[in-house]
Amino acid sequence: SRGFHFVKYCRRCILPDTRPHLFLHDDGICNACHTHDLRDRIDWKERESAFRSVVENAKRRVATRGSTGYDCLIPVSGGKDSTWQVVTCLEYGLKPLTVTWAPPSRTEIGRKNLENLISLGVDHIDYRIAPDVERKFMRQALHRFGSPAIPMHMALFQIPLKIAIMMRIPLVVWGENSAFEYGGSGEERLGFRLNSNWLRKHGVTHGTTAVEWIGAELTEKELTPYFGPAEEELEEAGLLAVFLGYYFAWDPQHTFEVARQHGFRARAEGPITGHYDFADIDDDFISVHHYLKWPKFGILREFDNLSIEIRNGRLTRGEALDILARNTSGAPRKDTERLCSYLGMEISEFREIHERYRNPDIWSKDAGVWKLKDFILPEWNWAAYEI
């Protein structure tokens, strides 16, 4: 152990300093909250004008080829954000091709929302990876990094880029504003160039690429869907990417409302994971991905969701804590059982992995029960959140 770490929480939201990429300033407020405050200084009319330049640039690049093909490619899941992306691009006159990495555990509401998205008037590719390959990759990722979602994130980024280059599409449109979060270099007016370094840093793959997963269980050919375009292909194609959240103030409640007005439906039974009944609802396994942040970092999906609500002024910190205190969802046991069944894994093996990735610097046992010292709430049903 590196020495016990008493978790500290942001004074404004409820995120702890154990969350990756988050730190507390001297005023006790986290960098995510401070970054959100910068929105008040942004000229959103100017940003909207910049997006019109993006649109015209994409159309012009297609026209110079003597083609009336797709102006942009939108990676979509059918969720509220991707529905908002499609609605926005159509409103600005783009002709998109939408591409989905099909999750192995797509929910029924996820299927219906994806069909609704397509019905808005876009062509669509649903890309399904061979189940035996995906299964082996997810299992290796779970063992190696305590995260079964690495294959998902690798596919989400690489498959659309390969299709964009293959079909000579000049622009990829993502949703949430990673460019704003990580800072820009002045090239956002028309988009930014993608390269392998950017994808390795921001692709949520623990800094790995497909080549690093080749071994006794997974061959290079089997991993084909997870390989992105070569650096020279990206350079030659001049493929640009944008995050709509750079040009329009991203807010999950706003994107949900736009999506709802265009046929998207939330989950009637309530959230699968977290605070929102309209997010993380298209894949049964996503709850396990989010849950594994609990032993690693001492956070649940609710922490992120409620902190967004605080930043947007819809909840006070006290109200968010009251909601968290009333939360009775517990660990996603049923979804974990589904994942283990899919992976051909006993639940005991999952628990062993779970414990292997428990952070000893923030967890300690009290009367045989794992607890976080100085937890944000005075009372908590610790046993309910163990698999």
Side-chain angles (χ1 to χ4, degrees):
S1 174
R2 295 178 298 276
F4 202 83
H5 174 81
F6 286 90
V7 180
K8 297 178 182 177
Y9 296 87
C10 175
R11 289 176 51 244
R12 183 182 298 174
C13 73
I14 60 171
L15 287 177
D17 62 354
T18 52
R19 194 192 192 288
H21 310 300
L22 187 129
F23 60 88
L24 303 183
H25 288 266
D26 291 341
D27 59 4
I29 297 174
C30 72
N31 56 313
C33 286
H34 276 295
T35 298
H36 189 272
D37 290 343
L38 296 176
R39 291 184 178 204
D40 294 338
R41 306 178 191 174
I42 292 173
D43 184 340
W44 291 107
K45 288 185 179 180
E46 192 279 334
R47 290 283 180 95
E48 190 270 344
S49 176
F51 184 67
R52 291 186 183 276
S53 298
V54 169
V55 171
E56 292 308 311
N57 181 60
K59 289 181 176 180
R60 186 165 53 249
R61 290 181 64 189
V62 172
T64 57
R65 300 198 303 259
S67 166
T68 56
Y70 301 110
D71 305 312
C72 68
L73 183 148
I74 310 176
V76 300
S77 66
K80 49 93 182 173
D81 281 348
S82 54
T83 303
W84 169 66
Q85 289 163 244
V86 166
V87 169
T88 302
C89 287
L90 290 175
E91 286 178 345
Y92 280 82
L94 287 164
K95 179 173 175 55
L97 172 67
T98 59
V99 176
T100 299
W101 162 78
S105 57
R106 178 178 280 159
T107 61
E108 181 61 18
I109 192 171
R111 181 187 65 78
K112 289 179 178 178
N113 279 328
L114 180 59
E115 289 177 355
N116 175 73
L117 180 151
I118 298 167
S119 76
L120 296 176
V122 292
D123 296 340
H124 178 257
I125 295 173
D126 203 41
Y127 196 116
R128 181 68 201 272
I129 296 172
D132 60 326
V133 172
E134 199 156 43
R135 186 178 294 113
K136 287 189 291 186
F137 196 175
M138 288 174 67
R139 184 164 181 150
Q140 280 199 34
L142 185 58
H143 273 281
R144 187 167 161 187
F145 290 106
S147 172
I150 290 173
M152 172 186 74
H153 288 118
M154 204 171 284
L156 285 173
F157 275 98
Q158 303 296 5
I159 290 170
L161 300 186
K162 286 191 291 190
I163 293 175
I165 289 177
M166 180 175 63
M167 301 189 71
R168 302 178 69 197
I169 301 171
L171 178 69
V172 176
V173 179
W174 279 303
E176 190 176 352
N177 185 14
S178 289
F180 180 68
E181 179 179 353
Y182 298 114
S185 58
E187 58 188 351
E188 292 88 347
R189 175 165 287 277
L190 297 179
F192 61 90
R193 288 288 181 95
L194 290 163
N195 57 46
S196 58
N197 288 333
W198 189 94
L199 292 166
R200 182 182 285 267
K201 182 177 180 181
H202 302 312
V204 201
T205 60
H206 284 265
T208 67
T209 60
V211 70
E212 291 159 78
W213 294 90
I214 298 171
E217 289 191 46
L218 289 165
T219 68
E220 184 174 357
K221 283 189 176 181
E222 286 178 317
L223 288 165
T224 295
Y226 303 100
F227 277 92
E231 196 77 48
E232 54 270 21
E233 289 180 287
L234 286 169
E235 184 63 31
E236 183 179 351
L239 182 62
L240 296 177
V242 295
F243 291 87
L244 282 186
Y246 176 83
Y247 304 95
F248 306 97
W250 180 84
D251 177 349
Q253 295 285 0
H254 170 70
T255 58
F256 166 60
E257 184 57 28
V258 171
R260 188 190 63 78
Q261 291 171 4
H262 290 82
F264 174 88
R265 290 293 174 262
R267 190 170 181 269
E269 304 92 330
I272 286 181
T273 182
H275 178 64
Y276 300 131
D277 59 5
F278 52 72
D280 300 313
I281 62 173
D282 57 343
D283 179 3
D284 276 332
F285 296 162
I286 197 68
S287 60
V288 185
H289 161 63
H290 288 306
Y291 167 72
L292 284 166
K293 299 170 187 175
W294 181 239
K296 293 177 180 177
F297 313 119
I299 58 172
L300 300 164
R301 188 60 166 162
E302 285 85 352
F303 284 70
D304 285 315
N305 294 164
L306 292 170
S307 292
I308 289 172
E309 292 302 292
I310 293 169
R311 290 183 204 118
N312 282 288
R314 289 184 288 266
L315 289 177
T316 66
R317 191 174 191 268
E319 289 168 339
L321 288 173
D322 286 343
I323 293 171
L324 187 64
R326 295 195 302 270
N327 178 43
T328 58
S329 60
R333 294 189 177 94
K334 289 185 178 179
D335 288 350
T336 303
E337 290 171 1
R338 291 190 189 101
L339 175 64
C340 288
S341 176
Y342 176 76
L343 296 178
M345 175 185 292
E346 296 293 331
I347 194 72
S348 58
E349 184 179 352
F350 181 90
R351 289 193 182 108
E352 184 276 324
I353 296 168
H354 174 284
E355 288 307 310
R356 193 192 324 154
Y357 285 95
R358 188 186 293 277
N359 185 348
D361 296 339
I362 62 174
W363 290 94
S364 63
K365 274 196 172 180
D366 179 2
V369 178
W370 284 109
K371 295 182 180 180
L372 289 164
K373 296 246 179 153
D374 285 352
F375 190 55
I376 197 168
L377 293 173
E379 300 293 333
W380 186 253
N381 186 353
W382 298 100
Y385 288 86
E386 293 298 320
I387 291 294

